[in-house]
Amino acid sequence: KETLRELIEFSGGLLTEADINRVQVERVVPFEERTEEINIRTVLDYEFTTIKKGRVKVKGIVLTDLDLVTVFPILDPQMDYVTITGAVFRSGKYALEEKMTINNLIEKTQGYLPDVYLEKANLTRTYLDGHTEHFDINLNSLQADTLLLQDWDLLHIYSIWDLKNKENVTISGHIWRPGQYTLHDSMKISDLLYKAGGLDDPYHWKQTYQKRADLIRYNDDQVTTRIIPIKLDSLIYGDKSQDLLLKHRDELKIYSIDIVYIPELIEIIGEVKKPGRFNLDTNMKIHDLILRAGGFTKSAYLYEIEIHRIDPLNITTDTLSVIHKLSITPEFLATFNTPEDFKLQNRDLVIIRQHPDFQYQRNVSIRGEIKFPGSYSLTRKGETIRELIIRSGGLKEEAFIDGIKFTRLGQKLSGDFNKILFGRIKYDIPLIAGDEITVPKTPGIIRVNGMVNNPGLIQYQQGWGVRDYISAAGGFHKNADKSLIDIYYASGKAKGKGWIFYPQIKDGSQIIVGSIDEKEDIDWTELLKETTSILASLATIIFIVSR
């Protein structure tokens, strides 16, 4: 016998936005009230509150087991307001007063901004059913004083800058803050330079091409442009004739000294940590360059450095460069400013060679049916496949020797692994770094393809020959060429029929039966037509020649 009032109290009370005029109860009809089998669920709407002495009271509606109660939110939209946006001092929402006009609303915003455009404003009116209506308003006309505003009206006041872009100029190139700037009345090149950071910094000025800047200006057709050269150094030192008044869409280009200065470079390659090109400093020596390149690597040959020097203006027919070899010691970097240090020149190429006897481990991998698969480092030059298999514990019982795959540099290499594993030295293969060996499991199947009635896989049977497997594959197809049978072994080798007998079938082999070549029937009518045409052409040629 608990009621809706108690349920709402348990739930913390009604929220402010609750619609106090409507509550809905979804109910499973109690047993005693079910009149039909299909009428076991119902939805009930209640007016569930009353107002007593200025307070809201929830009615004592009795609830039943499994009732789902929904208190709906208020659906009434916000009313009694209008909105203004755009070129006014205080845009936003305002309370709608009785007989309020556009001018009344403008007064509440404290008036127009200085850049207001009075010839046109937009009034968008939204109705309760959701549709809208548009009004064009001339703020200088009687409309502004006679048109009455309604709920949800939106008035937008335009600025003159909504109708046209502000005039601007651009500065680019070797300047601190390149970009686009607003053009002001009487604005000159010097004003734009200062807005972009100026050229007063001594370092920046030294890095600037001082002889010239370019002012790019649109011609009268507003499509093509012309270049107005500016003597930048004269402008900076006070020459007012170079300080031109700017126009809309002018672009001022400031150049870097790099357009006339070609930096001197040197390059170091080989066994240093950071090889590459570097700027050549005054009095730069080998010692300085190696420090800048991060020092030697572990594999560097620390007894000699090569310097390749070239004079690009003095190349003869038989000499391209001169090679200087500088003897050093492993303590070269520990010394400082030694007399024997080599002074570098522009475009020198310094080469640090690798020590001829230096090498890291040479790793190979062996996987599959091997007792201890994984990566192994070769213990000596010339270590072979058989030695590696022995070192990795040997083969497991299910290892398939004929199917061993040996890969070098991404390519499969064939070999007679039976002879290799049984100690035939001349068949063994020396390993190199990166070699991969994979030992598969014994497959126990033979694949029969080609012109047989039921191609596919057949279980390997010890002692079976070619014809046994073809019979197991349904026999020869009617288009089979019984003399064209090839056997491909798992090792990659292929064999055909000998003088009398087929070769032995090994586990994992593939048998392919070829087909009879189909001979095309001769169309005697067509042949006769072509022969006649050829003879007629020949007779014509003989007649022409005889004439």
Side-chain angles (χ1 to χ4, degrees):
K1 296 183 180 180
E2 286 182 319
T3 66
L4 179 59
R5 181 188 303 119
E6 293 166 319
L7 176 61
I8 290 176
E9 290 176 358
F10 296 153
S11 304
L14 295 174
L15 296 176
T16 304
E17 62 267 25
D19 185 351
I20 61 173
N21 294 316
R22 184 184 175 213
V23 68
Q24 187 179 85
V25 179
E26 297 180 40
R27 176 168 293 172
V28 176
V29 178
F31 296 118
E32 62 276 10
E33 297 179 15
R34 296 180 191 174
T35 57
E36 299 178 11
E37 286 297 324
I38 61 172
N39 186 25
I40 59 174
R41 289 183 181 272
T42 187
V43 176
L44 305 171
D45 284 317
Y46 292 104
E47 292 183 2
F48 72 110
T49 63
T50 58
I51 306 295
K52 290 184 178 180
K53 296 181 181 180
R55 299 183 64 185
V56 176
K57 296 288 186 180
V58 179
K59 295 180 180 180
I61 299 169
V62 177
L63 301 177
T64 64
D65 187 25
L66 296 184
D67 275 359
L68 173 61
V69 178
T70 303
V71 180
F72 290 96
I74 54 176
L75 297 178
D76 292 337
Q78 187 178 10
M79 304 292 284
D80 299 328
Y81 76 92
V82 291
T83 305
I84 185 170
T85 59
V88 291
F89 278 101
R90 293 188 176 181
S91 59
K93 285 184 179 181
Y94 287 87
L96 177 62
E97 298 175 354
E98 187 177 356
K99 295 184 179 181
M100 189 179 202
T101 65
I102 291 175
N103 280 342
N104 296 147
L105 179 58
I106 299 298
E107 290 174 3
K108 288 181 174 291
T109 66
Q110 296 187 359
Y112 301 117
L113 292 175
D115 59 351
V116 66
Y117 180 71
L118 297 174
E119 301 298 322
K120 178 182 172 64
N122 287 340
L123 178 66
T124 303
R125 178 161 292 169
T126 304
Y127 295 93
L128 286 173
D129 61 2
H131 85 275
T132 58
E133 187 176 3
H134 176 82
F135 298 89
D136 283 331
I137 307 296
N138 185 332
L139 296 172
N140 288 322
S141 70
L142 290 175
Q143 278 181 303
D145 221 15
T146 58
L147 182 63
L148 298 181
L149 298 175
Q150 296 182 12
D151 274 330
W152 304 343
D153 278 356
L154 170 61
L155 180 64
H156 181 72
I157 310 297
Y158 287 101
S159 162
I160 59 173
W161 303 117
D162 292 329
L163 307 178
K164 66 176 182 178
N165 290 327
K166 292 183 178 180
E167 293 187 341
N168 58 75
V169 289
T170 303
I171 186 169
S172 61
H174 187 69
I175 196 73
W176 291 111
R177 293 189 294 274
Q180 191 176 88
Y181 291 85
T182 300
L183 176 62
H184 305 297
D185 292 342
S186 303
M187 187 172 174
K188 298 181 180 180
I189 290 177
S190 59
D191 301 319
L192 179 59
L193 285 171
Y194 278 105
K195 282 180 176 290
L199 297 171
D200 290 341
D201 180 75
Y203 171 79
H204 189 79
W205 176 242
K206 288 289 186 182
Q207 298 295 314
T208 304
Y209 182 54
Q210 302 174 7
K211 296 297 181 183
R212 173 172 168 174
D214 283 336
L215 183 65
I216 312 299
R217 174 165 290 174
Y218 276 85
N219 295 317
D220 292 338
D221 60 11
Q222 296 301 314
V223 176
T224 58
T225 57
R226 66 184 185 274
I227 296 176
I228 303 175
I230 303 297
K231 295 179 180 179
L232 191 59
D233 50 359
S234 299
L235 172 66
I236 294 301
Y237 295 132
D239 187 350
K240 294 183 178 181
S241 66
Q242 300 298 312
D243 197 8
L244 303 181
L245 282 172
L246 295 173
K247 293 184 178 181
H248 179 42
R249 296 202 295 173
D250 279 353
E251 180 181 359
L252 181 64
K253 290 183 176 290
I254 308 298
Y255 299 106
S256 166
I257 194 65
D258 289 341
I259 64 171
V260 293
Y261 169 72
I262 301 175
E264 294 186 335
L265 301 173
I266 49 177
E267 185 175 5
I268 183 169
I269 61 175
E271 299 304 314
V272 288
K273 294 175 183 176
K274 294 186 291 185
R277 288 185 174 184
F278 298 88
N279 288 329
L280 176 64
D281 300 326
T282 304
N283 296 324
M284 192 172 186
K285 298 181 179 179
I286 287 287
H287 189 282
D288 307 314
L289 176 61
I290 293 174
L291 288 175
R292 195 162 298 179
F296 298 112
T297 64
K298 288 185 177 181
S299 59
Y301 183 62
L302 300 179
Y303 297 94
E304 186 178 80
I305 296 175
E306 285 187 13
I307 302 96
H308 294 222
R309 178 163 290 172
I310 187 172
D311 182 358
L313 301 178
N314 190 27
I315 296 177
T316 62
T317 56
D318 58 349
T319 302
L320 296 178
S321 64
V322 177
I323 299 176
H324 299 272
K325 294 190 177 183
L326 177 65
S327 296
I328 62 171
T329 65
E331 293 76 29
F332 177 72
L333 288 182
T335 61
F336 181 73
N337 208 19
T338 56
E340 64 271 14
D341 202 352
F342 192 87
K343 185 177 179 180
L344 296 171
Q345 294 183 10
N346 185 34
R347 295 293 173 180
D348 278 354
L349 172 63
V350 178
I351 303 176
I352 309 298
R353 302 289 184 190
Q354 186 182 52
H355 197 292
D357 297 325
F358 181 88
Q359 56 184 295
Y360 289 104
Q361 297 93 329
R362 300 181 184 180
N363 295 328
V364 296
S365 66
I366 184 167
R367 295 180 175 83
E369 295 302 300
I370 203 81
K371 290 184 178 177
F372 300 103
S375 295
Y376 287 83
S377 295
L378 297 177
T379 58
R380 61 177 179 81
K381 296 178 181 178
E383 185 173 1
T384 65
I385 291 178
R386 182 173 182 273
E387 292 170 329
L388 177 62
I389 291 175
I390 293 173
R391 187 149 66 94
S392 58
L395 303 176
K396 292 182 179 179
E397 291 184 2
E398 294 185 344
F400 183 43
I401 296 176
D402 288 333
I404 292 177
K405 293 181 181 179
F406 176 46
T407 305
R408 174 172 290 173
L409 300 176
Q411 294 185 339
K412 181 181 176 183
L413 303 181
S414 59
D416 193 332
F417 294 101
N418 273 298
K419 292 179 180 178
I420 289 174
L421 294 177
F422 286 101
R424 302 288 292 274
I425 296 175
K426 71 175 184 177
Y427 293 100
D428 211 349
I429 302 173
L431 297 169
I432 64 172
D435 283 351
E436 297 180 1
I437 301 169
T438 304
V439 183
K441 287 186 177 181
T442 301
I445 57 170
I446 301 296
R447 184 184 296 274
V448 183
N449 284 328
M451 291 293 104
V452 292
N453 289 314
N454 188 22
L457 301 177
I458 298 172
Q459 185 175 358
Y460 174 69
Q461 302 291 339
Q462 184 74 29
W464 274 25
V466 169
R467 292 190 176 273
D468 297 315
Y469 288 107
I470 292 175
S471 297
F476 289 106
H477 189 272
K478 64 179 181 179
N479 294 329
D481 186 346
K482 298 180 181 179
S483 64
L484 186 59
I485 301 176
D486 293 319
I487 293 91
Y488 294 87
Y489 295 119
S491 63
K493 292 183 179 180
K495 288 187 177 181
K497 183 179 179 181
W499 287 101
I500 300 175
F501 302 106
Y502 288 105
Q504 177 188 2
I505 302 300
K506 298 180 180 179
D507 195 357
S509 298
Q510 181 177 196
I511 302 169
I512 299 179
V513 179
S515 61
I516 300 172
D517 291 335
E518 295 184 3
K519 296 182 179 179
E520 187 176 353
D521 294 336
I522 299 175
D523 188 340
W524 292 103
T525 302
E526 190 65 29
L527 179 62
L528 182 60
K529 287 182 181 178
E530 292 180 0
T531 304
T532 303
S533 177
I534 293 171
L535 290 175
S537 300
L538 182 61
T540 302
I541 293 171
I542 293 172
F543 174 76
I544 293 171
V545 171
S546 64
R547 293 277 294 183

